[in-house]
Amino acid sequence: MPKQTLAVLPQQFSIYSLDVNADIPKQVFNASVYFIGKTNEELSLVLPETITIDAEECDSGWCAMEVLGPLQLSMVGIMADIGNVLAQAQISIFVISTFETDFFLVKAHNLGSAAKALENGGYKVIL
C-alpha cells in the first residue's frame, strides 16, 4: 500500500520575488491557484505561468505535486520523508503548505525523475 498519493497539477508555475512593501497585483486573485508568502524581508508569490506580473525576480517552469489529503496537522514526517526521497534523487524542491495539504514544486524537466523516485520510495504519483 502506498504511503501517500501525490497528484500533479495541470499547469506550470512561476515563483516571484517582490519588494516586501509591494502591493499584490489584482490579477493574482483571479488565478485558480496561487500562493502568497510574506516575511519581514520578502514577499513571494507562486502563480500559474499564464499570469505574469512585474517583479524583482522570477523563476518559471515549476510543476506542482499536491499531497492528496486532507492531512491532519498532527501528522509527522510526511514533508521530511518526501523531501528526503527527492533530495536522494538530487531533485531541488520548493515546498508550500496549506491547512490541509502540502505541495512539492519541482522543475518541469525533473518531473519524470521526481515521480519515479517517489514511486520507488513507496508513494503513488498521478501525472
Side-chain angles (χ1 to χ4, degrees):
M1 182 168 145
K3 295 176 182 176
Q4 275 86 34
T5 299
L6 292 92
V8 177
L9 276 70
Q11 65 271 62
Q12 288 191 19
F13 291 85
S14 297
I15 303 169
Y16 291 92
S17 176
L18 285 78
D19 180 88
V20 69
N21 295 314
D23 290 328
I24 298 170
K26 290 183 182 178
Q27 67 263 38
V28 168
F29 302 105
N30 293 327
S32 59
V33 176
Y34 62 88
F35 301 94
I36 300 171
K38 185 174 187 218
T39 68
N40 291 327
E41 293 85 30
E42 68 174 313
L43 172 61
S44 297
L45 305 177
V46 179
L47 304 171
E49 285 188 344
T50 55
I51 297 176
T52 57
I53 61 171
D54 289 328
E56 293 177 359
E57 293 184 58
C58 176
D59 192 345
S60 298
W62 292 86
C63 293
M65 296 183 291
E66 176 182 359
V67 181
L68 297 182
L71 305 176
Q72 302 301 315
L73 293 175
S74 61
M75 296 175 83
V76 176
I78 294 171
M79 282 179 48
D81 192 56
I82 293 171
N84 186 51
V85 168
L86 295 172
Q88 292 296 319
Q90 299 294 304
I91 297 171
S92 178
I93 60 174
F94 186 91
V95 181
I96 300 168
S97 293
T98 68
F99 191 87
E100 293 189 348
T101 194
D102 301 314
F103 293 82
F104 288 80
L105 280 71
V106 299
K107 283 295 202 165
H109 66 270
N110 287 328
L111 182 60
S113 298
K116 183 177 179 179
L118 288 165
E119 287 170 348
N120 289 341
Y123 294 91
K124 180 178 178 184
V125 179
I126 302 170
L127 296 172

